Amino acid sequence: ACLCNKIVTILYEKIICEKLPDIYSSAGLLHDIGTIVLLYNYRGKYADILDKAINEGGISLINMEIQTFSASHQEIGGYLLNWWGLPQPIVESALFHHSPLDGRVKNKELVSIVHIADILSWKILGIDMSKTLDNNIFDLLGVSSDDCKKIVTEYKLV
């Protein structure tokens, strides 16, 4: 989560060309809070799901979460952050970080950057979570996937 948050800050400043507003500063840190809730409450069962998602390519983590818990980590995280009264952009980053261009998203630039940072952070750590990058976000942001990788590589985060 810390790595993802660093990547969000870097990408936001380089792509949007302004400092990440303080109100957005924990978007990368909190986007996967639903995963932590599931791990804490269903340690063994959720560890099995994560293991399958990592080691058996093509299996959707979100679909397995919904089948097992009737909610995804995104929904759980978004609900929790909203309940805590966090700013809407932070709630959206948790709720839509796998689908940043969903019609309900108001802060598409931030959620798209969290989406990219989430995937890049897992790749930097050497873990293939079989997450699919929504290539339409690059048109929205006016950059390419290679641009994002190059920006992150320049900062030598690992």
Side-chain angles (χ1 to χ4, degrees):
C2 289
L3 177 60
C4 183
N5 208 53
K6 283 182 182 181
I7 295 171
V8 167
T9 301
I10 292 165
L11 288 178
Y12 192 92
E13 291 178 5
K14 293 291 186 178
I15 293 170
I16 308 301
C17 298
E18 56 186 63
K19 186 179 180 302
L20 181 70
D22 288 343
I23 196 168
Y24 298 171
S25 66
S26 60
L29 190 62
L30 295 174
H31 80 282
D32 263 342
I33 190 130
T35 299
I36 294 167
V37 169
L38 287 169
L39 273 171
Y40 181 80
N41 289 292
Y42 305 100
R43 187 173 321 271
K45 190 181 285 190
Y46 196 67
D48 290 344
I49 288 173
L50 283 174
D51 186 55
K52 280 184 184 176
I54 292 169
N55 296 315
E56 297 178 24
I59 298 175
S60 167
L61 174 63
I62 293 171
N63 288 342
M64 286 190 291
E65 291 170 343
I66 292 169
Q67 288 173 359
T68 306
F69 306 109
S70 300
S72 71
H73 72 277
Q74 294 181 115
E75 294 165 326
I76 292 167
Y79 176 83
L80 182 62
L81 296 175
N82 188 58
W83 183 44
W84 285 345
L86 271 72
Q88 197 60 29
I90 304 297
V91 174
E92 283 187 346
S93 293
L95 188 55
F96 296 107
H97 65 273
H98 291 291
S99 53
L101 298 179
D102 186 289
R104 297 169 286 180
V105 177
K106 292 181 181 155
N107 300 282
K108 285 186 178 18
E109 288 177 337
L110 174 65
V111 178
S112 293
I113 289 171
V114 171
H115 175 68
I116 295 167
D118 179 41
I119 291 171
L120 287 178
S121 62
W122 283 111
K123 285 187 179 185
I124 288 170
L125 295 172
I127 300 171
D128 181 10
M129 290 295 291
S130 299
K131 294 181 180 183
T132 305
L133 188 61
D134 184 341
N135 289 313
N136 295 316
I137 61 175
F138 297 113
D139 290 336
L140 171 80
L141 297 172
V143 296
S144 70
S145 174
D146 288 339
D147 293 335
C148 293
K149 290 175 189 170
K150 190 181 297 183
I151 290 167
V152 171
T153 302
E154 289 174 8
Y155 283 85
K156 298 177 181 145
L157 295 171
V158 288

